[in-house]
Amino acid sequence: MQVLAQLSPSHWTALETLFAVMLLLAVLAAVGGLLLRRVLRKDEEQNRIDAEQIAVMVAGKMVARSPEEGDRLSLKERNSIKALIGEAVLALREQKSWTGRRAIETLKVADPALAIDVFADMAEAKRAEADRAAREAGVALRHQGALTLPSDTQRALTLFQQAFELDPRDAQNLLALAVVQFRLGDIPNVEALIAEAGSLAQGGREDILGLIDMFAGVLNVRGGRLDAAIEKFENAKRIFAAIDEPRALVDALMALASAQMKAGDLDRALANYAEAQVLCTKNDYQLGLAQLHADLGLLLQGLGRFPDAEQMLLKSFTIAEQQGEIAIAAIAAANLGLLYRETHDLDRAEKTIRQALALETRLKHKDGMARGNLNLGTILFEKGRFAEAASHFQKALDLYEEVELPGLAANAVYNLGNAQRALKDDGGAERCYRKALDLFMAAGDAVGVARTAGNLGAVSLDAGRFEYAAKESGDPRAIAMQTRNLAVLAHKRGETSEACAKLKESLEICRTAKAETEALELKVLMGQFGCEAAELDSGEKQRA
C-alpha cells in the first residue's frame, strides 16, 4: 500500500497505457486463434473430402473389375474398403512431406505405386524400430531376472524366458537361461543351451565367448569329463588374457587349476594358482584372493598339510567377511570346520560349522543350510550327542527334499538312521534306512546302497529277524556281509556248524563278486571259529 501511495499521476497514466496495450494484444491473439482454428478445420475438412473422393474412385475400380455379377462388392464391404483407403490417404497427408504430397497426387490419377512404396518404407523403418525395441526390452528383462534370481528362481526363469522370446539370437539370453536352469538342476537342458549360445556368440563379443567356455567347463567337471573341462577353461583363459580382463582371467585360472588338481596334474594346478595370486594382488581383487585361499586350503588339506590349510582357510574367511561376501565366508567356515573334524578338534569343528550354518541361514540358501545341518549333525554324533545330531539330520533331510536333491537327501536320512539306532530306536532307524536305500538306489549310488543295506541288516539282526536280514539287499557284497553277521551271531549262540555254514556261504558270494578283501576277512573268521580246514581248502581247489 505504501508503494502505491508514492506513485505519481504520471506513473498511473503509463500503467493505464500498458494495460490497454496488453488487452489489445490479448484480443488480437484470441481473434487470430479463432481464425487459425477455422483455417485448420477447413483444411481438415478439405483433406477428408479429398480422401473420400480418392477412396470412392479406388473402390469403384474394384467393383468394376469384378469378373462376375455375383462377385460385386456389397454396400457394406464397399464402405469398409473406402474407410481403409481414406485412412491411408489421410496418413499420407499427415506426413507433410514432398513425397507424401506427390503420392496423393498420383493417387488422384489412379496410380498407387508411389503411395505403396511410401508405406512399404515406413513399415520397414517401424519394423526396425520394433526389433530394436524388442532387443532393448529383452535386455531389460534379463537385467530384471538377474536381480530376481537370488530370491525367486522360478520368477527369474520366467523373466529370462521372456527375454529369450523377444531376442532369441542374443547369446546372453541363452546364457542367462542356462544359469537359472543350472541352479534348478536341469543339466541336460543347460548343456543344450550352452552349446547353442556358443554357436550364436561366434564372431561376437569375446567376453561372452569366455563366459560360455567357463560354463561349459563347469558342466564338464560336473559330468566327470576333466579333459574337456580343462580345454574349455584354457580357452577362457586365453580369451580373458587377450581382452585384458584380469578378474575374469583370475576366475578362469582358478577353475583351470581346480580341474587340473582333480585330474592329478598338481604341478600345473599350483602354477595356475600362483599366477592367479599375482593377478589378484596386482589388481587388488580381494574376492578373488578369498576364493583363491579357499581353494588352496582344500588343496593343502588333501595333501595332509593341515596347519597350512588352516591358515589359508582362515585368510579366506577373514577377507570374505571384510568384503561382505557372505557366500565365500560360509564356504570357508564350513571347510574349516571339516578340517578341524579331520584333525579331531571337535569343539572347534562344531563352533565353525555353526558359524557357517548361521551365514547360510542369513543368505537363505536352502542347500547351504541343509549342508550345514548335515555337517553339524555329523560332528554332534561323533561327540555322542545323538538327540541333537538327529534333530540336525532331520532338518538337513527336510531341506534337501525341499530343494529336490535326492542324492544328498539319501545321505541325510542315512545319518538320521544312525542317530536313531544310537538312541535305541530300532523302528525309526529301520524306516530311515529303508528310505535311504530307495534314494541311493534311485541315484545309482552303489556305495550308499551297500552301506545302508549293511546297517539295515544289522538292525534286523538286533531285532532277531535273522532270515529277513540276509535278503534285504541286492548288492552281493552287502549280502555277503549280512550273511557274515548271521554267522557271528550263530557263533555267539554256540552254533558252530551253523556259523561255519554261513561263513562258507558268505565266502562263495565274495569270490563270485571278486571281493578279495572281504574274502580274506572271512577266511580269518573261519579259522577263529574252528571251521574245518577242508572247508577252507575246498573253495581254493575248485577255483584252481
Side-chain angles (χ1 to χ4, degrees):
M1 296 296 289
Q2 292 177 352
V3 173
L4 291 174
Q6 293 172 358
L7 291 175
S8 65
S10 62
H11 291 149
W12 280 109
T13 302
L15 285 174
E16 289 173 350
T17 303
L18 178 61
F19 288 149
V21 171
M22 290 177 63
L23 180 61
L24 177 61
L25 290 174
V27 171
L28 290 174
V31 171
L34 289 171
L35 291 173
L36 180 61
R37 281 197 292 274
R38 288 184 64 185
V39 171
L40 289 174
R41 281 199 298 270
K42 186 174 181 180
D43 188 50
E44 289 175 359
E45 184 178 353
Q46 185 60 50
N47 286 339
R48 284 195 296 273
I49 292 171
D50 290 345
E52 185 174 352
Q53 289 175 345
I54 293 172
V56 167
M57 180 185 64
V58 175
K61 289 178 64 177
M62 290 183 65
V63 173
R65 287 179 182 176
S66 296
E68 297 180 12
E69 185 68 24
D71 291 335
R72 284 185 174 277
L73 296 173
S74 68
L75 182 61
K76 182 177 180 181
E77 290 169 330
R78 188 167 182 269
N79 286 339
S80 297
I81 293 170
K82 282 172 53 183
L84 287 171
I85 295 171
E87 184 182 5
V89 175
L90 289 174
L92 288 171
R93 289 278 189 197
E94 289 174 2
Q95 287 195 50
K96 294 182 173 62
S97 66
W98 179 88
T99 304
R101 289 194 296 272
R102 179 63 183 156
I104 291 174
E105 292 303 317
T106 58
L107 276 173
K108 289 179 179 178
V109 294
D111 183 3
L114 181 58
I116 291 172
D117 289 343
V118 167
F119 287 118
D121 292 342
M122 187 185 301
E124 186 62 29
K126 293 300 181 182
R127 268 197 293 266
E129 288 180 16
D131 289 342
R132 184 169 58 253
R135 290 194 297 272
E136 291 172 355
V139 171
L141 285 166
R142 189 173 68 242
H143 295 336
Q144 184 185 355
L147 296 175
T148 305
L149 181 57
S151 59
D152 191 342
T153 306
Q154 289 295 336
R155 174 60 179 159
L157 175 61
T158 300
L159 291 167
F160 289 147
Q161 287 171 333
Q162 290 173 353
F164 172 72
E165 288 167 3
L166 284 170
D167 191 4
R169 302 297 299 170
D170 190 337
Q172 287 179 275
N173 288 338
L174 285 166
L175 187 60
L177 270 177
V179 169
V180 73
Q181 294 286 21
F182 185 81
R183 185 178 178 86
L184 292 169
D186 188 355
I187 302 305
N189 197 18
V190 173
E191 291 176 338
L193 288 168
I194 288 298
E196 188 177 351
S199 299
L200 288 175
Q202 294 301 321
R205 286 173 51 184
E206 290 292 315
D207 58 332
I208 300 302
L209 279 170
L211 289 173
I212 290 170
D213 279 332
M214 286 287 287
F215 210 135
V218 171
L219 291 173
N220 282 314
V221 168
R222 188 182 181 111
R225 302 180 294 272
L226 293 179
D227 289 342
I230 289 170
E231 181 183 353
K232 291 295 183 182
F233 291 140
E234 285 177 338
N235 287 343
K237 173 186 170 182
R238 283 192 292 270
I239 289 171
F240 292 135
I243 63 177
D244 193 23
E245 288 283 350
R247 297 194 174 195
L249 178 57
V250 166
D251 294 339
L253 284 166
M254 288 195 292
L256 176 58
S258 177
Q260 289 169 333
M261 189 170 65
K262 286 183 172 67
D265 193 348
L266 186 60
D267 291 338
R268 290 188 181 179
L270 289 173
N272 283 312
Y273 275 130
E275 186 179 347
Q277 186 165 10
V278 170
L279 282 169
C280 285
T281 303
K282 180 181 177 181
N283 294 279
D284 193 27
Y285 186 20
Q286 293 298 311
L287 294 182
L289 281 174
Q291 186 63 62
L292 176 66
H293 288 315
D295 285 359
L296 288 175
L298 289 177
L299 172 59
L300 292 167
Q301 184 177 348
L303 296 173
R305 294 168 55 181
F306 297 121
D308 294 335
E310 179 185 9
Q311 291 306 309
M312 285 292 175
L313 290 172
L314 285 170
K315 285 182 181 179
S316 174
F317 178 79
T318 301
I319 294 172
E321 195 173 39
Q322 288 173 348
Q323 296 293 314
E325 183 54 67
I326 303 175
I328 296 179
I331 293 171
N335 289 334
L336 194 58
L338 296 177
L339 184 148
Y340 289 140
R341 179 197 171 206
E342 193 168 348
T343 57
H344 308 292
D345 189 347
L346 295 182
D347 288 338
R348 292 176 76 183
E350 180 184 347
K351 179 180 177 181
T352 51
I353 290 295
R354 287 188 183 278
Q355 199 169 14
L357 178 56
L359 291 171
E360 295 286 7
T361 303
R362 278 178 59 190
L363 289 169
K364 297 181 180 179
H365 286 172
K366 291 182 180 179
D367 53 344
M369 292 161 63
R371 183 172 56 251
N373 276 292
L374 183 61
N375 289 338
L376 181 56
T378 301
I379 291 167
L380 293 170
F381 184 90
E382 292 176 357
K383 295 178 80 170
R385 290 153 60 182
F386 303 125
E388 291 178 73
S391 174
H392 286 285
F393 289 142
Q394 183 65 60
K395 290 177 182 177
L397 172 61
D398 293 341
L399 286 164
Y400 278 135
E401 288 183 328
E402 187 174 345
V403 296
E404 298 181 352
L405 293 173
L408 295 171
N411 281 317
V413 73
Y414 170 79
N415 281 284
L416 179 58
N418 290 341
Q420 298 287 15
R421 189 179 175 199
L423 291 167
K424 308 300 182 185
D425 182 359
D426 287 343
E430 182 177 341
R431 287 190 295 273
C432 288
Y433 290 143
R434 285 180 178 281
K435 183 172 183 177
L437 192 61
D438 290 340
L439 290 171
F440 280 129
M441 290 183 71
D445 187 340
V447 175
V449 169
R451 282 188 299 139
T452 307
N455 284 10
L456 185 55
V459 170
S460 299
L461 285 172
D462 291 342
R465 300 199 300 276
F466 311 119
E467 294 302 324
Y468 174 77
K471 300 177 182 177
E472 188 60 39
S473 170
D475 181 77
R477 294 179 188 233
I479 293 174
M481 292 303 97
Q482 291 170 24
T483 307
R484 178 204 61 185
N485 291 339
L486 286 171
V488 172
L489 191 61
H491 184 261
K492 286 181 179 180
R493 295 199 307 266
E495 300 172 357
T496 303
S497 59
E498 175 68 15
C500 289
K502 291 293 183 186
L503 287 177
K504 183 179 178 183
E505 181 183 347
S506 179
L507 182 60
E508 290 301 324
I509 295 171
C510 288
R511 284 171 174 163
T512 302
K514 297 182 180 181
E516 299 296 337
T517 302
E518 290 85 350
L520 180 60
E521 179 189 348
L522 288 166
K523 290 178 183 179
V524 173
L525 276 177
M526 291 176 81
Q528 290 175 348
F529 289 1
C531 300
E532 294 181 8
E535 291 183 328
L536 283 170
D537 295 336
S538 62
E540 300 296 335
K541 290 177 180 178
Q542 288 174 5
R543 283 201 299 167

